[in-house]
Amino acid sequence: MFDAYKADLIRYVLRRGPMARTKLMKLLFLIDRELYRRFGATVFHWKMYKYGPFSREVLDTLDDMEIDGFVVARVEEDVIIYELASTVPAELPQEVKEVADQILVAWARRSLDELLTYVYNLEEVKEAWPGKPLLR
């Protein structure tokens, strides 16, 4: 239902400013978690990995966006930071924007430690084993 909006959702999140890969991944997970709760659909497919919820699709989309000149990735102190390099607007359905805004208002300015503690303590994350599909 929402999987056609991968690059647009990333663009929508990154319009708030440069962001570390881990924080971006966890914010996208929380957005998808809320979309799944409300609509039974997600933008990305998620699995549980050693460091929590992970989507290979996020990294593949970021790679494509970087090749196409929409984002720039740089390394700062062993952290990969993504930044928008284009002003192309994000074309998202209103319900996706509303969910994204709700999550971003709550979490975008919080520290990575706070975000990770919250995500790792979610019931579906605590109960998952490595490789287990999430939000399905």
Side-chain angles (χ1 to χ4, degrees):
M1 177 174 175
F2 298 125
D3 61 345
Y5 299 103
K6 291 173 176 48
D8 287 303
L9 183 56
I10 289 171
R11 221 180 342 263
Y12 195 77
V13 172
L14 287 179
R15 73 190 178 108
R16 292 184 169 258
M19 192 171 296
R21 176 188 277 180
T22 302
K23 187 166 190 172
L24 177 61
M25 184 75 67
K26 299 316 181 224
L27 288 172
L28 291 169
F29 173 75
L30 289 178
I31 291 167
D32 261 350
R33 179 177 181 259
E34 189 60 29
L35 287 171
Y36 185 75
R37 290 174 64 194
R38 292 186 191 187
F39 306 107
T42 61
V43 176
F44 298 98
H45 292 99
W46 297 92
K47 286 187 178 182
M48 185 64 184
Y49 279 83
K50 182 178 179 181
Y51 298 107
F54 175 81
S55 174
R56 180 75 230 171
E57 292 174 315
V58 170
L59 298 185
D60 291 344
T61 303
L62 283 163
D63 287 346
D64 291 344
M65 292 174 75
E66 189 173 8
I67 289 166
D68 294 336
F70 292 111
V71 298
V72 173
R74 66 181 188 279
V75 177
E76 291 181 8
E77 300 176 19
D78 296 331
V79 175
I80 298 172
I81 307 289
Y82 290 98
E83 184 173 359
L84 280 180
S86 167
T87 57
V88 173
E91 309 255 343
L92 291 172
Q94 188 58 36
E95 58 265 37
V96 175
K97 285 182 183 179
E98 288 172 7
V99 167
D101 287 340
Q102 174 189 338
I103 297 301
L104 293 170
V105 164
W107 291 102
R109 298 200 187 278
R110 309 269 292 269
S111 74
L112 179 59
D113 285 343
E114 288 177 286
L115 179 60
L116 292 176
T117 298
Y118 178 76
V119 170
Y120 294 164
N121 283 296
L122 293 170
E123 203 62 36
E124 64 266 39
V125 173
K126 285 195 318 189
E127 294 177 0
W129 58 88
K132 180 183 189 285
L134 299 169
L135 308 178
R136 296 272 155 232

